[in-house]
Amino acid sequence: MSEGNKDRTSLNFSSSVRLPRLTVEQYVQGVRENNRTILAQAITLAESNSAVHMNMAQEVIKQLLPDTGNSIRIGITGVPGAGKSTFIEAFGTMLCEKGHRVAVLAVDPSSTVTRGSILGDKTRMELLSRNPNAFIRPSATGGTLGGVNRKTRETMLICEAAGYDVILIETVGVGQSETTVRSMVDFFLLLMLTGAGDELQGIKKGVIEIADALLINKADGENKHRALVARGEYNRVLHYLQPATTGWETKAYMCSALTGEGIGDIWDVIGHFREQTTRTGGFDARRKAQSLDWMHSMTQDYLRSTFYSNPEIAHMLPQIEGAVASGQLSATSAVQQLVAIFEKTRK
């Protein structure tokens, strides 16, 4: 299957979603009142790829926009076994106890059927999922990172309009999803384990470079000394890397999600980050840049979808692909032919 056909297939992934017959005004009012049933339905509306649902969702989001932007958006990823779910539950529960309202959005572009491990996360985050000030939701990506970009961003805006002032976006998958989540959050947290030497070999340098803080989890009991050593090793590595955020120094910290030690400290770090970047203008500048990147990304997605869903392109694509694969046609000539076909049908 060609890339274009993959894109086109994914765009129809949730077009059959069934939704209750609510008006735009009912969605808007329900979200603003934090009616959790309507909140969930509004998110489902935004996730749908049905043209009717998408148009309605955009009107809902348009009316909710004045109520958005007041949260701190935190991306959380981690190496396998770092205890991400346990940390998020401990961190989220602490924030709820401090009077915050926390939304947890999980992103996993690797699964189009099970929608990631969010059900498992809800089981592991049993305490947080029962907290009235917390809301846990998977992000249905349709198997594409483009899906992550639109659907997670719009889910985030809806949650902000519902009054959630801390948004935690968890990357369940490993790989490019980290970069995608980085593009929509204010602060990016990377969970690590002890044994820094071995762990650094198993994690891409690029993921460390986009992190605003490294947090060594499971720093308790006999493991606490190893965590101290690992923190020193990570900090030595970070000293030679360019910070992910201008004017901010990325450092390694440690905590125990099991005992709660250090959980409050990382929240203090995030608070200091927000104060410092707000003072220098970096916080607002990043938000504006992310909005523009989002617009350009969605424009590209739309153009790609429009191109590959064109009947003439769909008809000629296999033949032209075959010619390129066999060496009878150069890639440049193939593109020129496809664009010419597309432009002819648009006249």
Side-chain angles (χ1 to χ4, degrees):
M1 184 182 293
S2 69
E3 291 299 316
N5 289 335
K6 287 180 183 177
D7 287 341
R8 194 175 66 220
T9 301
S10 66
L11 285 168
N12 294 324
F13 177 72
S14 56
S15 59
S16 61
V17 172
R18 293 183 181 180
L19 288 161
R21 295 183 178 180
L22 298 180
T23 64
V24 168
E25 290 71 24
Q26 287 174 321
Y27 277 118
V28 172
Q29 182 179 350
V31 169
R32 284 176 174 160
E33 293 174 351
N34 193 27
N35 180 313
R36 294 170 74 90
T37 300
I38 295 181
L39 172 61
Q41 291 170 353
I43 292 172
T44 301
L45 183 75
E47 290 175 343
S48 173
N49 288 315
S50 159
V52 174
H53 292 165
M54 286 182 71
N55 291 336
M56 192 174 189
Q58 293 313 304
E59 183 58 34
V60 170
I61 291 170
K62 180 181 177 180
Q63 294 192 29
L64 290 175
L65 274 179
D67 306 300
T68 67
N70 298 317
S71 74
I72 178 73
R73 304 164 181 173
I74 305 168
I76 300 176
T77 191
V79 298
K84 202 164 37 174
S85 296
T86 307
F87 168 77
I88 291 174
E89 173 160 66
F91 188 55
T93 300
M94 179 207 69
L95 292 174
C96 289
E97 290 173 352
K98 286 179 174 287
H100 294 282
R101 296 177 61 195
V102 180
V104 180
L105 312 180
V107 170
D108 183 5
S110 65
S111 175
T112 59
V113 179
T114 63
R115 300 176 72 180
S117 63
I118 191 66
L119 293 179
D121 284 345
K122 276 194 170 181
T123 301
R124 290 191 291 273
M125 298 181 199
E126 188 176 357
L127 182 63
L128 184 60
S129 64
R130 293 201 308 264
N131 194 304
N133 288 326
F135 181 77
I136 301 176
R137 175 80 182 198
S139 187
T141 69
T144 68
L145 288 168
V148 175
N149 224 337
R150 176 176 71 84
K151 297 174 185 180
T152 305
R153 285 178 187 267
E154 293 181 351
T155 298
M156 178 175 65
L157 293 176
I158 293 170
C159 288
E160 288 180 343
Y164 292 94
D165 63 325
V166 179
I167 310 293
L168 305 179
I169 303 183
E170 174 194 7
T171 66
V172 179
V174 176
Q176 193 180 346
S177 59
E178 280 82 8
T179 304
T180 303
V181 171
R182 165 79 272 186
S183 73
M184 64 180 77
V185 298
D186 307 309
F187 188 93
F188 196 73
L189 180 64
L190 174 60
L191 291 188
M192 306 293 284
L193 290 167
T194 57
D198 293 337
E199 289 301 328
L200 285 173
Q201 296 301 319
I203 184 168
K204 292 182 179 179
K205 176 185 173 185
V207 178
I208 296 179
E209 288 179 327
I210 64 175
D212 292 304
L214 270 61
L215 184 61
I216 303 161
N217 193 14
K218 303 184 180 180
D220 47 57
E222 296 180 357
N223 209 35
K224 193 168 185 177
H225 175 71
R226 288 192 291 270
L228 283 165
V229 174
R231 184 179 65 180
E233 292 185 25
Y234 286 131
N235 277 326
R236 280 192 288 275
V237 172
L238 290 168
H239 179 73
Y240 295 101
L241 298 180
Q242 184 75 21
T245 301
T246 303
W248 174 258
E249 186 179 0
T250 301
K251 292 182 179 179
Y253 306 88
M254 46 191 272
C255 77
S256 169
L258 187 63
T259 67
E261 185 177 358
I263 298 292
D265 294 340
I266 195 62
W267 177 241
D268 291 339
V269 169
I270 294 171
H272 179 54
F273 170 89
R274 187 174 191 173
E275 291 173 6
Q276 184 170 321
T277 55
T278 298
R279 187 171 59 251
T280 61
F283 191 91
D284 188 50
R286 171 171 277 169
R287 286 266 178 110
K288 289 179 179 179
Q290 288 176 346
S291 294
L292 292 176
D293 287 344
W294 182 15
M295 180 192 74
H296 290 301
S297 174
M298 289 189 66
T299 301
Q300 292 168 8
D301 288 344
Y302 172 78
L303 292 174
R304 183 165 52 247
S305 173
T306 302
F307 183 85
Y308 284 109
S309 61
N310 181 287
E312 288 299 318
I313 294 295
H315 175 70
M316 292 299 299
L317 188 59
Q319 179 182 333
I320 293 177
E321 285 179 334
V324 172
S326 64
Q328 298 174 354
L329 188 66
S330 72
T332 300
S333 296
V335 171
Q336 290 173 337
Q337 285 189 25
L338 287 170
V339 170
I341 293 169
F342 180 78
E343 290 181 342
K344 183 178 179 181
T345 62
R346 302 288 287 181
K347 292 179 180 179

